[in-house]
Amino acid sequence: MSDADAVVDRLRREFGDALRSVTHYDADGYRDLYVRDDVDSRYDDDRMERIAEETRMEALQSTYLRDLFRPVHGDFECTARFFAEGVEINYTVSETRGFAIGLDRDIGDADSVADRAERALAATTE
């Protein structure tokens, strides 16, 4: 099993059918590791590229946010965006690499969602 398959497998076990998508990105681009069929049908390639670019740009800010907030809140882990139907979580591993995870909105509160995703990703991001 590849690292990408292992990440998707852990997230699928953690979130079940509520997992909408898993994307890995780095400085060279992005790769969708998993996209649920009903979600995939709602996006065209241009929109996916724009979303991936936005996610990569957000990762560039992660070092700044880590330095800014660490004395007050501890280490920066992720950003989460809540929409009417879904939650997008961006786990930045470095300024150029990370994972974007899409979940159904009704999966739980922000703390439990972030903690569960972190546990599922922990083995591959260390």
Side-chain angles (χ1 to χ4, degrees):
M1 179 180 287
S2 72
D3 286 346
D5 291 336
V7 166
V8 171
D9 185 57
R10 282 192 297 275
L11 288 167
R12 292 282 313 232
R13 278 186 277 139
E14 187 66 43
F15 295 107
D17 292 338
L19 183 64
R20 291 160 96 50
S21 62
V22 181
T23 302
H24 178 262
Y25 61 87
D26 60 23
D28 297 324
Y30 74 97
R31 182 167 63 115
D32 289 325
L33 305 179
Y34 169 81
V35 181
R36 200 171 69 197
D37 288 341
D38 65 312
V39 173
D40 190 41
S41 66
R42 297 164 96 181
Y43 290 96
D44 60 29
D45 290 340
D46 181 57
R47 183 173 304 275
M48 289 302 289
E49 183 63 38
R50 290 184 301 158
I51 290 169
E53 183 61 27
E54 176 64 28
T55 302
R56 287 194 307 261
M57 295 287 285
E58 188 176 275
L60 290 172
Q61 295 178 327
S62 66
T63 300
Y64 172 74
L65 291 173
R66 281 182 180 94
D67 293 343
L68 181 63
F69 287 101
R70 181 179 288 131
V72 177
H73 296 296
D75 286 334
F76 174 80
E77 296 175 357
C78 68
T79 58
R81 291 188 174 108
F82 288 77
F83 300 92
E85 295 179 22
V87 178
E88 292 291 328
I89 302 173
N90 183 5
Y91 277 90
T92 56
V93 177
S94 71
E95 286 184 351
T96 59
R97 191 169 71 88
F99 292 89
I101 301 166
L103 302 167
D104 287 337
R105 174 65 189 254
D106 60 0
I107 192 71
D109 64 38
D111 289 336
S112 69
V113 168
D115 290 343
R116 290 166 66 188
E118 183 177 348
R119 280 195 308 271
L121 290 172
T124 60
T125 60
E126 295 176 351

